[in-house]
Amino acid sequence: MRSFVLATGLLCIPLIVEAFPGMGNTLASIASIKKRDPEVPELLADLKTLPDIELTEVGKLIKEILLLENKTGNSQDFETVYKAPGPLESDECRADTCCVWKYVAEEMEIDFKGPTGRCNEFASQAIRLGFHDAGTWTKAQSGGGADGSFVLAGEIARPINRGLEEINNKMWQYYHKFHKYGAGMADLIQMGATAGAVVCPLGPRIRFFVGRNDSSEPAPEGRLPQASQDAESLIALFEDKTIDKGDLITLLGAHTIGQQRFEDTIRAGDPHSSTPGVWNTNFYVETPRNDTPKRIFKFHSDVSIAQYEESRNLWGLFSEPVEGLTTWNSGYAAAYIRLSVLGVPHINNLIQCTGVLPLRTESYTAPDENELNEWLNSDRAPMREEAVLLMNGESLKRDS
């Protein structure tokens, strides 16, 4: 069976904490909540040393996103649509860097979306894979980063990467099909994470950049998070990647679409929120509560971060029912762009191809909402029909 787990290891503990109230509805409010060390967001790679006069348009854009992050909406693009100049094999397509990525994005959209319109297990795993390839980079030590080594160097064999076997195989398929047209593994992995998010209903349309170098050198081990970790160790781990507390909280929200299988096999297939396959803020509403549907599966690490004193305001901001999703999506896009260029030495030379991505789905109603709610409160055995259907983005509604 197929599965998605964004991190590994879990202790599910009961909570008495109620959902935190909303703290406002402007993007700028996030900046006042977050505590950075250092106070100014850190630049990366060549953007740290190049004078502004030598920056490309892409370099300027990424620098702005890295420095301002949640204060700006530039991390997403809702309107640009790229039209391929010709078929994939044509000279016109080969001459345009973004052309091959249009065909990659179209194939990923088909692979990542189920018949209900929900995103499926491939989307969930693709997002996790983007984290696990790029997240091996640290400030303190060399090696790792968004370089495709997860697939090219066989990092799938590591226990922490369990559950990513199918998307690992799928990436090899994309690579064998599209590499001869200019698509590298590092960019394919990050395209998967970006496409996976926007294919999910209500998901962000994150700006997408290509031009990373591929590497077959395995990334150092021991640099990825465990779901059994407490808040302080997770915060320290991510700060060594230039990802601060606020960005860590923001990135955790991707758990909202997923279902676990390996952390507790007795509860295999149980989701992390009440709406698996839909990109909404239910994860932030439900994780700190003790009155959620019985099948919702909470990582110890998520609960620990939700309870952490310095995270509560931002957690509450994302839980806000009116503007929470808009605020989270903008913040997630900025934080993910930072993650996606970790370990990339030549950020200034990347090329933007955001227009190849599918447009976002701005509203969604589940066709099987009643059946889903009934299953979420059921005691049926793990990995039975309902869990598998959800992983495939299929409906729980039975034919009469």
Side-chain angles (χ1 to χ4, degrees):
M1 298 298 176
R2 301 166 176 175
S3 68
F4 158 60
V5 190
L6 191 58
T8 58
L10 168 78
L11 268 174
C12 186
I13 56 177
L15 293 176
I16 306 175
V17 185
E18 292 295 330
F20 304 120
M23 297 299 294
N25 56 14
T26 65
L27 298 178
S29 357
I30 300 179
S32 66
I33 290 169
K34 293 165 66 175
K35 294 185 178 180
R36 283 192 181 273
D37 183 18
E39 300 252 336
V40 178
E42 294 184 60
L43 289 174
L44 296 164
D46 53 345
L47 298 187
K48 294 171 65 175
T49 57
L50 287 173
D52 286 349
I53 196 172
E54 294 183 23
L55 293 180
T56 63
E57 289 304 309
V58 166
K60 291 176 184 175
L61 174 60
I62 296 178
K63 182 176 181 178
E64 179 184 52
I65 292 170
L66 294 182
L67 288 178
L68 300 179
E69 297 189 309
N70 295 315
K71 294 181 183 178
T72 179
N74 285 340
S75 54
Q76 296 184 86
D77 179 346
F78 302 117
E79 298 178 353
T80 303
V81 175
Y82 173 89
K83 182 178 180 180
L88 179 61
E89 301 84 0
S90 67
D91 291 339
E92 292 83 0
C93 189
R94 289 178 182 274
D96 187 332
T97 300
C98 292
C99 185
V100 63
W101 295 103
K102 180 65 173 178
Y103 292 96
V104 173
E106 288 177 350
E107 192 156 319
M108 286 183 173
E109 182 179 16
I110 293 170
D111 289 340
F112 292 177
K113 182 179 291 187
T116 59
R118 289 190 286 256
C119 55
N120 61 21
E121 61 183 294
F122 283 125
S124 302
Q125 291 181 22
I127 293 168
R128 183 184 170 210
L129 175 59
F131 278 78
H132 280 223
D133 191 49
T136 54
W137 180 87
T138 72
K139 293 189 294 181
Q141 298 172 293
S142 61
D147 59 8
S149 66
F150 183 104
V151 178
L152 296 174
E155 293 169 22
I156 186 62
R158 299 174 179 178
I160 192 147
N161 295 325
R162 189 180 184 190
L164 291 173
E165 291 82 4
E166 289 191 340
I167 195 62
N168 184 77
N169 294 339
K170 181 67 72 174
M171 284 296 164
W172 273 122
Q173 294 173 21
Y174 295 142
Y175 185 76
H176 291 316
K177 181 174 182 177
F178 295 111
H179 181 59
K180 59 186 174 182
Y181 302 109
M185 184 62 79
D187 290 335
L188 280 167
I189 289 173
Q190 296 309 319
M191 161 61 93
T194 306
V198 75
V199 166
C200 296
L202 315 182
R205 195 169 189 249
I206 305 166
R207 290 188 183 273
F208 172 63
F209 306 93
V210 300
R212 298 168 184 83
N213 295 331
D214 285 354
S215 174
S216 297
E217 183 71 24
E221 297 194 52
R223 297 181 177 182
L224 293 174
Q226 302 270 359
S228 56
Q229 286 180 262
D230 291 326
E232 298 215 353
S233 65
L234 281 170
I235 290 168
L237 179 74
F238 277 85
E239 284 182 345
D240 194 29
K241 306 178 192 300
T242 76
I243 295 172
D244 70 3
K245 290 185 286 290
D247 289 340
L248 170 57
I249 294 165
T250 305
L251 292 170
L252 284 178
H255 287 164
T256 198
I257 64 171
Q259 296 165 256
Q260 75 86 33
R261 208 180 101 196
F262 297 115
E263 302 313 317
D264 184 343
T265 56
I266 294 176
R267 297 184 56 190
D270 281 355
H272 302 301
S273 80
S274 59
T275 49
V278 179
W279 191 280
N280 58 31
T281 58
N282 284 359
F283 168 82
Y284 292 104
V285 174
E286 294 164 351
T287 298
R289 300 183 69 100
N290 69 334
D291 58 352
T292 52
K294 63 177 66 176
R295 298 202 85 103
I296 292 180
F297 190 91
K298 302 173 184 180
F299 287 146
H300 171 74
S301 54
D302 291 343
V303 172
S304 183
I305 292 287
Q307 291 180 310
Y308 193 66
E309 183 65 31
E310 293 181 12
S311 72
R312 292 189 177 192
N313 287 338
L314 184 55
W315 202 280
L317 186 63
F318 292 155
S319 301
E320 208 275 329
V322 178
E323 295 292 336
L325 179 63
T326 299
T327 304
W328 174 47
N329 273 347
S330 182
Y332 181 91
Y336 195 83
I337 288 170
R338 172 179 288 277
L339 182 76
S340 74
V341 296
L342 293 181
V344 177
H346 54 283
I347 298 172
N348 191 49
N349 295 332
L350 297 180
I351 297 169
Q352 182 175 193
C353 294
T354 308
V356 306
L357 292 168
L359 294 173
R360 72 187 297 264
T361 301
E362 297 188 2
S363 63
Y364 180 77
T365 300
D368 54 354
E369 184 175 359
N370 292 336
E371 290 80 3
L372 176 59
N373 289 335
E374 190 275 329
W375 176 74
L376 287 167
N377 286 287
S378 75
D379 292 310
R380 287 193 287 280
M383 290 308 298
R384 295 293 293 273
E385 180 183 4
E386 294 95 340
V388 176
L389 287 171
L390 286 170
M391 287 180 173
N392 292 331
E394 299 179 54
S395 176
L396 302 188
K397 190 183 289 288
R398 295 174 174 82
D399 294 333
S400 56

